[in-house]
Amino acid sequence: MARASGPRTRGGGVATGGTEEQIRRAAVHLFATRGFHATGIRQLAEAVGINSSTLYHYMGTKEDLLFEITQDSSRRLIDAASRLSPDLNPQARLCGLVYLHVWSHATHPEETAVVDNELRSLDGERLARAVELRDRYEDFWADAIADGCTSGTFAVQDRRIARIALLQMCSGVAGWYSTSGETSLRDLTTTYAQMALSLLSCSRDHRTIERLLDDLDLQPVVAAAWPETTPSPR
Amino acid sequence: MARASGPRTRGGGVATGGTEEQIRRAAVHLFATRGFHATGIRQLAEAVGINSSTLYHYMGTKEDLLFEITQDSSRRLIDAASRLSPDLNPQARLCGLVYLHVWSHATHPEETAVVDNELRSLDGERLARAVELRDRYEDFWADAIADGCTSGTFAVQDRRIARIALLQMCSGVAGWYSTSGETSLRDLTTTYAQMALSLLSCSRDHRTIERLLDDLDLQPVVAAAWPETTPSPR
DNA sequence: CCAGCCCAATCGATCGATCGATCGGGGATC
DNA sequence: GATCCCCGATCGATCGATCGATTGGGCTGG
């Protein structure tokens, strides 16, 4: 349990946030970079600067920690997607989903990578719950694609394959994008939205999509889904 | 003591190959499904039906095994890509790459998944060699995309991002496709080739791509890259 | 104000289990 | 008897997790 909301002890507490949040952050980083099974409980403690036994004052088992991380990240994506206006045309809806997904994966690559790659380390019941959340999120995409296809805006050979391909392509952003690189977040999201529309046989000019995304004004949505956006670079 | 299974005689070995090949196959399966670090040496031995110490008669370390598996799979992809005729037009070349990549990932999902997901478990020097092979393979894609862009066949906002997106999208096949499902390999590869061309602003009809792939006649190429397997369709 | 107590927070020590890997020897075949 | 397979036993290291003990700030009753 442990309710930590403010108290810092020990001198020299340079790190930001409470101990519990530090643990969470270190776990996200280690799980994303080395993998769940390759991350030792002592490594995690060392990254936080505490003894390994102290970890268990703040968390349950190591797997509990992984589960909570994945649930949290999954829910953020679902929250963001569900905030999209329901009466958008298919084109705008799809662009919005791409924007939210790519923005999340670009600015929080570790959280999203853990969800994308480490679900298999969950046991049966937790895996089922995690998959359920993932499926709920993918339904937003399935609905948008179906809408566009029935209305004639999109044209694809196979809707399910198109959905899988789009999600896979957009998730890849977490693996390579760096905010310190030469591509801005604005260009990145626009480029992916353009590729997504093209893949759905609905090509649009880059500037057109840029304006479309500007009009959607989704920055408040991602800000609500990922509140404590860190000032740290990376 | 009677041996449980796996008569060793060389005269054609009943269902499974030699012990070394059995180990390789079991390792590919376990590394792909559970992950490298989550796979124990005793699990691996049990899957083959031998004692864990016997493993070391056939292999080096566990990491040696992973390295060999990734090198092998990477080289097969490079071999296949390098067999594509150098004087194909960009459209046909790109379709050929998609075909080879998707076919490989669909028919050998575990080998390819290990390469795609477990490279990080390699140590520094081996990781560097593995990444080098991966980069060499991606160069085939970069060249095809560049050719198409300079010749006006393709049009993308960012060639590098397009390449990454295409590869990510095609690699995803390993994660969901089942040869026992309702989608044939022929439809799968054609659908992906169509999506790839569309993404590159070079839309083509499904039937057109089907014929294009038929004309390329790439079955001998994949058969050469993955010899000891069953290639029936197309 | 102080005495007494509580409790979050931390650590060192250690648990049983499992990890990857090694070694010497047994038994079969040629 | 030499070679090839294979296994039981075992190594040191590390795994995730728990234990008892200590610390110190904050709250309470007097």
Side-chain angles (χ1 to χ4, degrees), chain B residues 6-232:
Chain B
R8 302 262 34 264
T9 53
R10 5 180 64 272
V14 194
T16 54
T19 305
E20 194 166 5
E21 193 187 328
Q22 282 182 257
I23 293 173
R24 171 76 64 108
R25 270 206 289 262
V28 166
H29 178 249
L30 289 171
F31 291 170
T33 53
R34 334 250 171 209
F36 176 75
H37 287 291
T39 299
I41 218 69
R42 290 167 181 79
Q43 283 180 268
L44 176 57
E46 191 184 9
V48 182
I50 59 176
N51 190 282
S52 67
S53 54
T54 307
L55 285 177
Y56 292 92
H57 182 72
Y58 297 95
M59 66 181 217
T61 68
K62 192 175 77 156
E63 195 180 326
D64 286 337
L65 190 53
L66 173 63
F67 180 64
E68 288 161 15
I69 289 172
T70 60
Q71 291 280 297
D72 184 57
S73 295
S74 294
R75 272 198 269 261
R76 289 178 196 270
L77 280 180
I78 292 176
D79 277 0
S82 65
R83 281 198 173 87
L84 278 177
S85 171
D87 42 41
L88 292 174
N89 64 55
Q91 185 186 154
R93 179 127 60 110
L94 200 281
C95 283
L97 285 173
V98 171
Y99 176 89
L100 298 177
H101 194 91
V102 170
W103 193 95
S104 296
H105 280 68
T107 60
H108 300 81
E110 298 189 328
E111 283 93 335
T112 52
V114 170
V115 178
D116 293 337
N117 306 323
E118 304 293 332
L119 284 195
R120 63 178 170 188
S121 296
L122 261 19
D123 65 53
E125 187 227 331
R126 282 167 165 148
L127 174 59
R129 290 180 54 192
V131 169
E132 186 202 331
L133 279 194
R134 190 193 59 186
D135 289 347
R136 266 218 286 155
Y137 175 66
E138 295 196 6
D139 281 344
F140 287 102
W141 289 71
D143 291 344
I145 294 170
D147 273 8
C149 288
T150 56
S151 71
T153 310
F154 304 152
V156 295
Q157 180 72 17
D158 186 305
R159 296 178 187 182
R160 176 170 160 264
I161 293 181
R163 185 195 77 229
I164 295 174
L166 284 177
L167 276 165
Q168 187 77 19
M169 155 184 127
C170 293
S171 295
V173 168
W176 64 270
Y177 182 73
S178 166
T179 50
S180 63
E182 55 196 15
T183 307
S184 69
L185 269 177
R186 180 182 166 93
D187 280 347
L188 182 79
T189 50
T190 306
T191 298
Y192 268 85
Q194 187 185 22
M195 292 192 296
L197 284 186
S198 293
L199 189 148
L200 297 168
S201 306
C202 176
S203 290
R204 289 293 182 273
D205 184 76
H206 192 79
R207 295 272 319 138
T208 303
I209 296 174
E210 209 164 41
R211 274 194 299 270
L212 188 155
L213 285 177
D214 284 343
D215 289 344
L216 283 180
D217 190 31
L218 293 174
Q219 204 52 46
V221 175
V222 293
W226 306 91
E228 68 288 356
T229 46
T230 78
S232 59

Side-chain angles (χ1 to χ4, degrees), chain A residues 29-50:
Chain A
H29 175 65
L30 290 171
F31 290 170
T33 53
R34 333 252 173 206
F36 176 75
H37 286 291
T39 299
I41 219 69
R42 290 167 181 80
Q43 281 180 268
L44 176 57
E46 191 184 9
V48 182
I50 60 178

